[in-house]
Amino acid sequence: MEATAYCSGEITADGSRVREGICAAKKEWIGLTAAVYLDKLREDGTHGPGEFLGYYEIRDTGGNELIKNGQCIDIYNPSLEWCINFGRKKVLAVMIEGKG
């Protein structure tokens, strides 16, 4: 899947305030936590977890079709510069029950 970043908004889809440590994802995933790793291409051509990016509580949804379809998550950070530098990354996101 892919990950992008956003820095706007005040209230999430579940009614909480935006803050670091949350992300927007498919509506059905609200309440889960995503353990997010960079997608690493291995020498044998398979993909696996690379650098660990963090745990993100899924509290928001997005208008983008990729987010609605579960093909992308959107990580919140209050810094526009951070979001621009983050860009769009291929990630492995493991959805787990529980709050990060």
Side-chain angles (χ1 to χ4, degrees), residues 2-100:
E2 291 187 329
T4 54
Y6 72 110
C7 60
S8 62
E10 294 181 21
I11 303 296
T12 64
D14 76 350
S16 60
R17 296 192 71 68
V18 295
R19 61 171 172 75
E20 287 185 65
I22 66 164
C23 70
K26 187 175 179 177
K27 180 174 72 171
E28 293 81 6
W29 295 346
I30 288 181
L32 298 177
T33 296
V36 182
Y37 301 82
L38 285 178
D39 184 3
K40 181 177 182 180
L41 181 61
R42 297 179 179 148
E43 290 181 20
D44 64 2
T46 62
H47 292 262
E51 177 187 346
F52 179 64
L53 297 179
Y55 292 105
Y56 299 93
E57 292 180 58
I58 301 170
R59 295 184 160 266
D60 209 357
T61 58
N64 182 299
E65 285 301 314
L66 293 175
I67 294 172
K68 289 180 179 180
N69 293 330
Q71 298 171 305
C72 182
I73 59 171
D74 204 8
I75 296 170
Y76 179 81
N77 189 287
S79 165
L80 175 60
E81 182 179 353
W82 186 93
C83 292
I84 291 169
N85 288 332
F86 185 85
R88 181 178 296 269
K89 299 185 184 310
K90 293 280 187 188
V91 297
L92 171 64
V94 179
M95 305 307 170
I96 54 178
E97 290 189 42
K99 296 192 177 188

